[in-house]
Amino acid sequence: MDGTRLADRIAFGGGMAARKAGVICDAYRPRDGACPIVAANRLVRLGVLVLPVSGSVRGPAPLGLPYRQLVLDQAYVRGGDYVAGPAGTFLVVNNEPPAPVLGARCNETLSIWRPAAQAVPGINPYGAILDAGARGVLAGFPAALLPARGGTHAEAGLPDDTRAPGYIAAVAAVEGLAPDVADVVRDARGRQFVIDQAELFGGIWRLALSASIV
C-alpha cells in the first residue's frame, strides 16, 4: 500500500468514526473578504469528533489553549476552512494526511481595516486612523484570539508609559487579501488592535497584535 492509498484509508476511517461518535457540522471555505460562515460558502456537511491535541479522552483539553484534534474525513477540508456545529466553530489550521487535522477553536470575530495613506508627502494634517479613510480587508471572520507574552511600550518612551498588551490571532487566509503590518483589527466587542507582524502558514494567517487605545 503506497502513501496516497494509506492517507485515503485513514481519512475514510476518520469519517466513519466521526459519524458514530462525533456531531454533524458544516464546513465552509472563505471566497472573499466577507463573513465566510454563509450558505454560499458551505462545502459539505460531515461528522466531526473534537479531541484534545493529544488525542486522548482520559482528560479534558488544557484551559486557555484553542487547539484541538479534529477527527473527520480529511478529504473534504484544507487549511483555512471553517468547521461549524454544536461543538463550536473551528478554523482548520492544517490538514497533512496521514497526520490528524489540527483545528483552532474560534473565540472571537475579527475585521481588518487598512488606514488610508497620507495624501501628499511631507507635512500633513493630523494622521490618526479615521474610519472614513480606512479600507476593509476582511469583515466578520471567526478567529482564535489569545493573549501573548510581552507587549509594546509607546514610542515616546516616557517613564510613565504603560505597556500595551499583546495578542496572537489565527484567521483564515483568502487569496488576494493579505493583512499587513499597521493594519487595524477590531473584534466583536469593540476592542481595537494594530498588526505588528503577519505570517502566512498554509491556509491561515498568524497575526501578532498590540492593543490600541482609541
Side-chain angles (χ1 to χ4, degrees):
M1 181 181 293
D2 60 17
T4 301
R5 177 68 173 170
L6 175 62
D8 178 75
R9 292 295 86 195
I10 292 175
F12 179 78
M16 293 289 291
R19 285 193 291 273
K20 294 292 185 179
V23 294
I24 300 300
C25 299
D26 291 312
Y28 299 86
R29 181 165 296 164
R31 304 183 190 278
D32 53 30
C35 175
I37 311 298
V38 294
N41 293 343
R42 195 179 79 174
L43 297 173
V44 66
R45 178 165 289 177
L46 74 174
V48 180
L49 176 61
V50 180
L51 299 173
V53 172
S54 65
S56 173
V57 295
R58 293 179 178 271
L63 178 65
L65 296 180
Y67 299 106
R68 300 289 187 271
Q69 182 181 141
L70 304 181
V71 179
L72 44 71
D73 191 331
Q74 295 175 249
Y76 290 102
V77 298
R78 69 185 187 194
D81 290 346
Y82 288 98
V83 176
T89 299
F90 294 86
L91 171 63
V92 177
V93 175
N94 61 37
N95 180 10
E96 300 175 346
V101 172
L102 178 64
R105 183 187 295 274
C106 297
N107 62 345
E108 264 299 348
T109 301
L110 301 182
S111 297
I112 301 177
W113 299 81
R114 181 154 300 154
Q118 296 291 352
V120 295
I123 299 176
N124 284 275
Y126 177 64
I129 298 169
L130 302 176
D131 289 343
R135 175 173 61 87
V137 179
L138 301 178
F141 269 56
L145 179 65
L146 296 173
R149 292 182 178 180
T152 59
H153 284 293
E155 293 183 0
L158 300 176
D160 61 346
D161 281 345
T162 57
R163 183 184 295 271
Y167 294 84
I168 295 293
V171 66
V174 181
E175 185 176 357
L177 299 175
D180 203 355
V181 173
D183 284 353
V184 177
V185 179
R186 297 189 181 99
D187 67 14
R189 291 187 278 173
R191 296 181 298 176
Q192 183 164 294
F193 314 88
V194 175
I195 297 179
D196 296 325
Q197 188 176 10
E199 300 171 304
L200 181 63
F201 292 98
I204 71 163
W205 285 98
R206 182 180 183 272
L207 307 176
L209 309 174
S210 293
S212 174
I213 300 175
V214 295

